Amino acid sequence: MTNTRGACSSLQPKHRVVILALICSAVLFLLAVQTESEWVPYLSFSDDKTTNPSSFSQPPYNNISQKNEEQDHQLDGNKEHNAFYTMFPERPPSPGERFLGYIPHSGFHNQRMALESALLLASYLNRTLLLPPLYLSKLARTNLPWTVPSELLGNWARRTRINFEYCRRYDSAILPPRTKKELEAMTDEERKREIECSFYHEWTLVPWTYFYDMPRLLEDAVSVGDHQESIRVFDRPNVSLSWLVDKLGVKDFDKDIYFVNDTTRFDYRIVDDSENDYGSPQVSEAPVSEGSWVARYSRTILLTDLRNRPERIIHFGSLFGLDRIEARSESHRAMQLHIIHGLNLWNQDILDATDMVERQIDEWIGITGRAAPGHLGVHYRTANGSFAKFTQRNLERIISWLGEMVKKDSKYIKAPQGDVPPSSPSPSPSPSPFRTADAESAAPSFEEQQEDFLQRCKSAESGSPLVFMATDVHHPRQSPMLARYLGLFPCTMFLSDFPRAVMLLDKIHNPVDGVHMLPFMIALVDANMAAKGREFQGTEESTFSAYIMNHLWPEYHPQPNM
């Protein structure tokens, strides 16, 4: 085992120069973007209510609900609390309080995995976790991918709403696109404003308590293993170094903060050498398989080294990744399981939408004459990186798995009609009412799609399973990518088949910035319904699939003695 201590126990003078240079660069950038024509506005956590310069023309209002109307719609299990605001109110740090910080990045489930690691490490070190917000992005252009800490902090600093309050009334998805003539008639400032506001609605910020019952998780940590108190958090709405100065009173970065910086996405792993429960004087590690997550990390940091750090704040870069924080002792394994299974989804509208879909599926099981009870769940991811490269391979794995499920379900068929799916797509009614994605404007209505689905499923053999597919494929019933699959498994359902559930979520906007929440919420309904399946198959390497398999599916299908 390599005993590698933190990346830097103190900052040398040359490092201070680098930090000052970064701060100056950020200031210059913010000044420069006021004159550049294609700058992307980002998230800020400032309470600054500065409005736009009066010289800019105001974009027209559209159908986005006004702030006071949005705030009337409460969205979590606690009806007296507005879910869009943190449940951990601002407070001064307690005397002698010591903290743990990190920099979140990437998508929803990567951030959730990092949060789990941070909570676990905070419990190990008996430090208060500086709890960041959850950053939600619709498109890659507004994502926060991993990079080295100095750059990632800079990217967070440029996520600002300051001077862009007017954009809450603008939604490019509602307003018609500009013609060439209209664009030419616009001033440079008007074009700049149009670009800024088109990006404004592509991302938003919510507290983790918007989706998860974190107060209960923290409080119930008492007496888990040998932990004798709840896990403490300190709300950190601003992921910047300046916030540490303003809110925690940091005066000397060298003295007050111990930075653990990462130079690669999987740089370090925290090894549990505490020996609290097993008493062995030697720490022996099991062999690491080449394809495991543990094998991805370049170096190790001992937990006991972190416990001995005297600084008020230990600040990490990324904490994303499975097995980032080892849980070797019995007590630590108990805490790890508590955190993994304690992030319970409690957003009431997501739960209501899930219930709507589930009740509809229960009706369809009888209507379509399915032999097996319930439905099967699958997740098929196609976008970005290796998922885009291996779309066909991943789909074939799902098809193969479903074939095995059909064989397994043959016991439910009273009069055997074949126990494997056809080797080629089943004949479908001709002409098909569906068009390709190139003819979306001529796509059938929800009612027509639903009726066509039910007719196709009714005509399928009773052993053909009812399947709910969570997927990022746009217009899945019309996508050529899924044509063969739907021929093999015509009783496959998508969230778009349940318009009432979608409509429930479609009305929700974040009252803080006016951003439409539907794109961020449907993924969790998708996950819920895939996890409700009596069995589940995901996409290899997908953290979304891992979330369904390791968190949601066990919650919905508790096993004896678990």
Side-chain angles (χ1 to χ4, degrees):
M1 176 188 303
T2 301
N3 181 351
T4 305
R5 299 179 184 271
C8 53
S9 61
S10 63
L11 292 178
Q12 301 300 321
K14 62 180 182 179
H15 295 148
R16 291 195 291 269
V17 171
V18 171
I19 291 177
L20 289 173
L22 287 172
I23 294 173
C24 291
S25 298
V27 172
L28 290 174
F29 179 89
L30 292 175
L31 291 174
V33 297
Q34 301 303 318
T35 57
E36 292 178 357
S37 60
E38 294 191 1
W39 180 71
V40 183
Y42 293 113
L43 179 64
S44 169
F45 315 92
S46 172
D47 292 328
D48 189 339
K49 301 300 182 183
T50 306
T51 57
N52 57 296
S54 59
S55 60
F56 288 178
S57 60
Q58 294 292 332
Y61 282 88
N62 55 33
N63 294 329
I64 294 179
S65 302
Q66 296 303 301
K67 184 173 182 179
N68 59 342
E69 296 172 350
E70 293 159 349
Q71 288 177 330
D72 289 339
H73 194 58
Q74 306 301 308
L75 300 178
D76 67 357
N78 180 354
K79 295 300 183 182
E80 296 181 356
H81 169 69
N82 189 319
F84 286 100
Y85 297 94
T86 180
M87 296 186 72
F88 307 109
E90 184 175 348
R91 64 174 176 84
S94 302
E97 190 170 15
R98 301 196 305 165
F99 301 93
L100 173 74
Y102 71 102
I103 313 174
H105 61 84
S106 303
F108 185 115
H109 295 289
N110 290 28
Q111 292 179 64
R112 180 192 49 75
M113 289 171 68
L115 174 63
E116 291 176 357
S117 293
L119 288 167
L120 186 61
L121 189 55
S123 73
Y124 287 0
L125 301 177
N126 194 26
R127 286 177 176 263
T128 300
L129 176 63
L130 298 175
L131 182 65
L134 171 59
Y135 180 79
L136 300 172
S137 173
K138 299 178 187 178
L139 301 176
R141 64 186 179 184
T142 50
N143 197 6
L144 273 172
W146 176 88
T147 184
V148 294
S150 59
E151 294 181 11
L152 190 53
L153 283 171
N155 292 339
W156 269 100
R158 289 188 290 273
R159 265 61 177 169
T160 180
R161 296 297 199 193
I162 298 174
N163 296 333
F164 296 101
E165 175 67 18
Y166 61 88
C167 283
R168 67 180 292 114
R169 302 175 303 186
Y170 175 102
D171 189 346
S172 59
I174 296 176
L175 294 178
R178 302 283 189 182
T179 65
K180 182 178 179 181
K181 185 175 181 180
E182 288 174 327
L183 289 172
E184 291 175 348
M186 296 171 68
T187 67
D188 289 343
E189 289 180 342
E190 288 172 336
R191 278 193 293 271
K192 174 176 178 287
R193 179 177 298 279
E194 187 103 347
I195 292 169
E196 291 168 347
C197 290
S198 69
F199 282 92
Y200 178 100
H201 289 276
E202 299 298 340
W203 53 266
T204 192
L205 171 81
V206 295
W208 282 100
T209 50
Y210 177 67
F211 290 112
Y212 297 111
D213 187 359
M214 283 198 63
R216 181 175 178 179
L217 180 149
L218 301 178
E219 293 169 4
D220 289 353
V222 177
S223 299
V224 172
D226 59 6
H227 207 72
Q228 298 302 315
E229 56 185 86
S230 62
I231 301 174
R232 302 183 306 275
V233 298
F234 192 99
D235 192 52
R236 183 189 187 179
N238 186 329
V239 184
S240 70
L241 296 181
S242 61
W243 181 89
L244 301 177
V245 175
D246 295 339
K247 300 300 182 182
L248 298 186
V250 171
K251 297 179 181 179
D252 187 333
F253 278 82
D254 291 347
K255 180 180 178 181
D256 294 340
I257 306 177
Y258 177 67
F259 291 99
V260 184
N261 295 323
D262 42 347
T263 57
T264 64
R265 189 173 186 181
F266 301 106
D267 189 338
Y268 46 74
R269 177 174 182 253
I270 314 302
V271 174
D272 178 8
D273 65 331
S274 59
E275 304 177 7
N276 285 340
D277 297 321
Y278 49 90
S280 172
Q282 300 295 325
V283 179
S284 59
E285 295 200 55
V288 176
S289 61
E290 185 177 343
S292 72
W293 275 82
V294 173
R296 300 184 184 192
Y297 300 107
S298 303
R299 60 190 175 108
T300 58
I301 300 173
L302 297 182
L303 178 61
T304 52
D305 286 349
L306 294 175
R307 282 181 171 171
N308 292 332
R309 297 306 312 180
E311 293 84 359
R312 282 184 65 209
I313 303 170
I314 296 179
H315 203 293
F316 287 86
S318 174
L319 285 178
F320 161 71
L322 291 174
D323 295 315
R324 171 78 75 165
I325 313 298
E326 185 188 35
R328 181 185 295 269
S329 72
E330 181 179 346
S331 174
H332 289 171
R333 287 197 298 270
M335 181 60 72
Q336 183 182 54
L337 290 174
H338 169 74
I339 292 171
I340 288 174
H341 298 297
L343 281 175
N344 294 322
L345 188 68
W346 74 340
N347 182 294
Q348 194 59 53
D349 277 351
I350 289 178
L351 297 177
D352 288 345
T354 300
D355 184 63
M356 285 183 182
V357 175
E358 192 170 19
R359 283 188 280 111
Q360 185 68 71
I361 290 177
D362 287 342
E363 292 182 19
W364 286 353
I365 292 173
I367 291 174
T368 59
R370 297 305 90 200
H375 69 277
L376 298 171
V378 299
H379 170 231
Y380 178 43
R381 180 174 175 180
T382 65
N384 302 324
S386 63
F387 302 109
K389 182 179 179 181
F390 298 113
T391 53
Q392 189 59 41
R393 184 194 69 180
N394 291 332
L395 184 59
E396 289 301 323
R397 286 179 175 175
I398 290 174
I399 290 172
S400 177
W401 179 80
L402 286 172
E404 293 301 314
M405 291 300 102
V406 170
K407 293 178 182 178
K408 186 176 180 179
D409 289 347
S410 61
K411 60 187 177 183
Y412 296 110
I413 302 174
K414 296 180 180 179
Q417 301 178 33
D419 57 1
V420 295
S423 58
S424 59
S426 301
S428 58
S430 179
S432 171
F434 296 111
R435 310 290 181 88
T436 65
D438 295 330
E440 290 176 12
S441 59
S445 66
F446 279 127
E447 291 78 10
E448 291 171 329
Q449 286 195 72
Q450 196 173 89
E451 182 58 31
D452 184 83
F453 160 72
L454 290 174
Q455 290 301 322
R456 288 171 185 262
C457 189
K458 286 178 183 179
S459 63
E461 295 179 347
S462 64
S464 183
L466 204 60
V467 181
F468 185 93
M469 176 181 279
T471 182
D472 55 7
V473 175
H474 295 288
H475 306 286
R477 293 205 179 281
Q478 300 152 265
S479 172
M481 186 184 300
L482 290 175
R484 174 175 173 270
Y485 168 86
L486 289 174
L488 294 171
F489 300 101
C491 294
T492 296
M493 307 164 289
F494 307 95
L495 189 57
S496 56
D497 294 324
F498 304 89
R500 288 183 60 227
V502 175
M503 288 172 62
L504 173 64
L505 304 177
D506 189 46
K507 63 186 177 182
I508 303 168
H509 293 80
N510 187 336
V512 177
D513 54 21
V515 171
H516 190 206
M517 292 298 296
L518 176 65
F520 312 120
M521 301 180 77
I522 56 176
L524 286 174
V525 180
D526 247 355
N528 269 352
M529 290 314 306
K532 292 274 186 177
R534 51 194 167 85
E535 296 199 49
F536 171 76
Q537 174 68 25
T539 299
E540 188 176 8
E541 297 293 324
S542 166
T543 57
F544 186 80
S545 288
Y547 171 66
I548 296 172
M549 176 59 74
N550 299 330
H551 291 67
L552 294 179
W553 198 91
E555 179 182 341
Y556 295 139
H557 306 275
Q559 302 300 309
N561 302 322
M562 288 188 65

